[in-house]
Each structure stands twice: as C-alpha cells, then as structure tokens.
Amino acid sequence: MADREPDADTDDDTDADQLDDPEALAVLEVQRRFYEAFESRDLDAMSEVWEHSDRVTCAHPGWAPLHGWGAVVASWLGIFSGPQRLQFIVTDERAVVAGDIAWVTAEENLLDGADGAAVAAINLYARDDEGRWRMVAHQGGPVSPEAPRQR
C-alpha cells in the first residue's frame, strides 16, 4: 500500500483546510486507491479509478502524452507486466475541488529496491453522472534533487 508521510506544517498528509472538506477527502480517497492499484499492479483496481472515455490523458515520466482510455489502459498493462516493482511514499498532497472537477498535486517518492526517485505529479479528477470521482488525467515528471522547494 502507498505510504503517506506527514506534511511538515500539519502533521498530516494533507493541508489542514482539506481535512474539513468532505469533497476534498473523497478525491484524496480516489487518489489513495490510484497509488494502491499502481503498487499492487492491479489493472482492475486501476481501471476502477479512471474514467473510460476519449478525453482521458496520461503522461508517465519520460513518456509522450497518451490520449483516450484505450491508450491509457494499454500503458498500465505494459507497466504492470514489466519487471519493475515500485513502492510509493506520497507527500505534500494538495487537493482542490472546483464544482465537478478536482486536482491533486503531490510528490511521489518512489522506491525500487535500493534505488529511489522523486516525481512531481498532478492528477485531475471529474465527477461522473453517478457522483463518483474518476481520474481523467495523470502527469508525472522527475524532480531534480537540486529543485527549489516551496515551504
């Protein structure tokens, strides 16, 4: 399961304002399920998180953007079929909800055996007709160890 580290300012994994917002908490729950599906390489669970439409997009670190559910699910199948097993420690999660759209920024601290890397991620969610939050976009990009940090 994806680990969460406390935020330096709140002693929690989310901003304090998010803790009082049930919509933000619902989005963060979908976010948690996304990372659990990724770690466990569970294509069914990953499929449950995503919207199945032509409007979805995904840009894995180092990849060109993929558009449409077919291309996105094929990318997850390829990643899950490969030899790499990743563990995530997700930090600095910040959720914003604006009506039926929400986004979460986070830092994915990846562990792969003895190696590690940091990835800045932004995940976009849309509320479906049944009121469920579904991922419609994911982008991850590597973070340089020398990158400035917002405090």
Side-chain angles (χ1 to χ4, degrees):
M1 177 182 345
D3 293 324
R4 299 291 196 257
E5 285 196 349
D7 183 280
D9 297 328
T10 65
D11 291 328
D12 199 346
D13 63 340
T14 59
D15 281 348
D17 291 345
Q18 298 173 115
L19 298 176
D20 296 327
D21 181 353
E23 290 298 331
L25 291 173
V27 170
L28 289 168
E29 172 60 21
V30 178
Q31 173 101 343
R32 181 190 63 76
R33 292 194 333 256
F34 168 75
Y35 288 107
E36 284 181 352
F38 201 153
E39 273 192 1
S40 64
R41 300 159 63 115
D42 184 336
L43 192 60
D44 290 335
M46 183 62 77
S47 181
E48 186 64 27
V49 170
W50 281 85
E51 179 179 287
H52 298 188
S53 73
D54 289 338
R55 73 178 183 168
V56 300
T57 187
C58 184
H60 300 292
W63 292 38
L66 304 168
H67 302 284
W69 175 240
V72 171
V73 73
S75 75
W76 290 117
L77 179 60
I79 289 168
F80 294 167
S81 299
Q84 190 175 36
R85 288 223 176 262
L86 296 174
Q87 178 184 3
F88 290 84
I89 300 171
V90 181
T91 59
D92 198 25
E93 287 183 300
R94 296 169 191 244
V96 177
V97 178
D100 289 335
I101 297 175
W103 57 94
V104 179
T105 58
E107 187 166 319
E108 303 171 351
N109 300 280
L110 306 177
L111 302 174
D112 178 20
D115 297 326
V119 172
I122 185 164
N123 296 319
L124 180 65
Y125 300 89
R127 194 185 330 254
D128 69 14
D129 292 339
E130 297 174 13
R132 296 173 302 191
W133 290 104
R134 300 290 187 172
M135 185 174 283
V136 293
H138 167 73
Q139 181 184 0
V143 176
S144 167
E146 295 83 32
R149 305 282 180 170
Q150 179 181 2
R151 298 290 173 202

